[in-house]
Amino acid sequence: MNRTAAGWINGFVGVAIFSGSLPATRVAVMQFDPVFLTMARAAIAGALALCLLLAFGEKRPARRDIASLVVVALGVVVGFPLLTALALRQVTAAHSIVFVGLLPLATAIFAVIRGGERPKPAFWFFSVLGSALVAGFALSQGLSASAIGDALMLAAIVACGLGYAEGARLSRTLGGWQVISWALVLSLPIMVVVALLYMPPSFSGIASSAWLGLAYVSLFSMLIGFVFWYRGLAQGGIAAVGQLQLLQPFMGLALAAALLHEPVTSAMLGVTVAVILCVAGARRFAN
């Protein structure tokens, strides 16, 4: 199997895992404080990552890589999880998943800025059009869902796109699972302290569904998914493989409907399809 094909396969597995992140976060944040949820999931994943690094005897990253690892940590360890957890107290998982349609655009844009990739001019036409569709969707709802929730989701997408591109760039030298592992370990001391500060006084009333949601986002969303995702981006190209995120809204909407029994309106589906078509056009001119 050549490197590019392996990149697409690894990327697809990563997207499939990530598609459950928002529904799982929605379940967990209904009973856990958003800050505690963010810090706890990172602390749990960080402890597991530390064990992996020690078990495989991985060398510490070079000093020149520390700044990039901090960017990864701020983007995908803290930024995206915290912003989405806060947003999901305002909007449904199904509503938030529409915004995930912008992730391929954000990732490709940061691939230009941080990864040195150079899409063709037509790429930017589709990028702007896709962004306008998402903004138009929010306005068409009269912002009744929550202006704050929509703003938080947009900020989360920007943070995630930066973390994806920076991590993929670093994966070329450090390796996919090593990048997310070191980013988690770098964040671990702060995550543990803040998680303890925001820890609920009692866990007795927490439903099993919330615990399952926390377990999923800690093990799969924060660690296992990134092992496949960063490897795929590094192997197949950030802008190109990043377009596999086109599948994530469909997977996420299906999970939100099946597991959370949330309504999926025709407008949500229409915007998701339209955004996917725009990003597909952008993908064609990504190189």
Side-chain angles (χ1 to χ4, degrees):
M1 183 183 298
N2 62 44
R3 183 177 175 84
T4 300
W8 282 92
I9 292 172
N10 283 311
F12 178 82
V13 174
V15 167
I17 292 172
F18 290 150
S19 66
S21 298
L22 290 178
T25 300
R26 172 71 172 174
V27 171
V29 83
M30 290 296 98
Q31 299 197 25
F32 289 119
D33 178 87
V35 176
F36 171 76
L37 177 64
T38 300
M39 303 304 156
R41 66 188 276 181
I44 294 169
L48 293 172
L50 180 59
C51 292
L52 284 173
L53 291 168
L54 292 173
F56 287 95
E58 290 293 323
K59 295 181 180 179
R60 294 180 181 179
R63 184 174 298 180
R64 65 178 181 275
D65 295 329
I66 298 300
S68 291
L69 287 170
V70 170
V71 172
V72 173
L74 290 174
V76 301
V77 176
V78 179
F80 184 76
L82 179 59
L83 291 167
T84 53
L86 291 169
L88 286 165
R89 283 209 160 182
Q90 310 288 330
V91 299
T92 66
H95 181 89
S96 68
I97 286 166
V98 175
F99 289 86
V100 177
L102 287 177
L103 255 180
L105 300 176
T107 304
I109 289 169
F110 283 113
V112 172
I113 298 171
R114 297 296 301 161
E117 298 184 6
R118 292 292 179 266
K120 297 176 182 178
F123 169 86
W124 303 111
F125 167 77
F126 288 104
S127 175
V128 172
L129 181 59
S131 299
L133 283 168
V134 173
F137 169 76
L139 291 173
S140 72
Q141 305 301 300
L143 297 181
S144 58
S146 171
I148 295 175
D150 287 350
L152 287 168
M153 280 304 306
L154 285 173
I157 295 305
V158 173
C160 194
L162 174 59
Y164 279 176
E166 192 70 19
R169 187 183 68 83
L170 200 55
S171 293
R172 296 167 182 166
T173 54
L174 280 185
W177 74 268
Q178 291 91 337
V179 168
I180 189 59
S181 294
W182 282 117
L184 286 165
V185 169
L186 192 66
S187 311
L188 186 56
I190 297 174
M191 299 298 104
V192 171
V193 171
V194 180
L196 290 173
L197 289 174
Y198 281 85
M199 185 172 63
S202 172
F203 292 105
S204 60
I206 305 297
S208 59
S209 59
W211 286 112
L212 287 173
L214 174 59
Y216 187 91
V217 296
S218 300
L219 182 58
F220 291 94
S221 302
M222 287 302 303
L223 186 58
I224 296 176
F226 278 105
V227 171
F228 290 98
W229 184 240
Y230 278 150
R231 184 185 299 165
L233 291 174
Q235 290 174 328
I238 302 171
V241 174
Q243 304 311 306
L244 279 170
Q245 294 168 108
L246 296 173
L247 301 173
Q248 194 169 334
F250 283 126
M251 295 177 181
L253 286 172
L255 286 171
L259 300 180
L260 304 181
H261 307 292
E262 292 184 354
V264 178
T265 67
S266 57
M268 288 180 186
L269 288 174
V271 171
T272 301
V273 171
V275 168
I276 285 174
L277 291 174
C278 286
V279 183
R283 182 253 181 273
R284 189 180 187 284
F285 298 100
N287 299 308

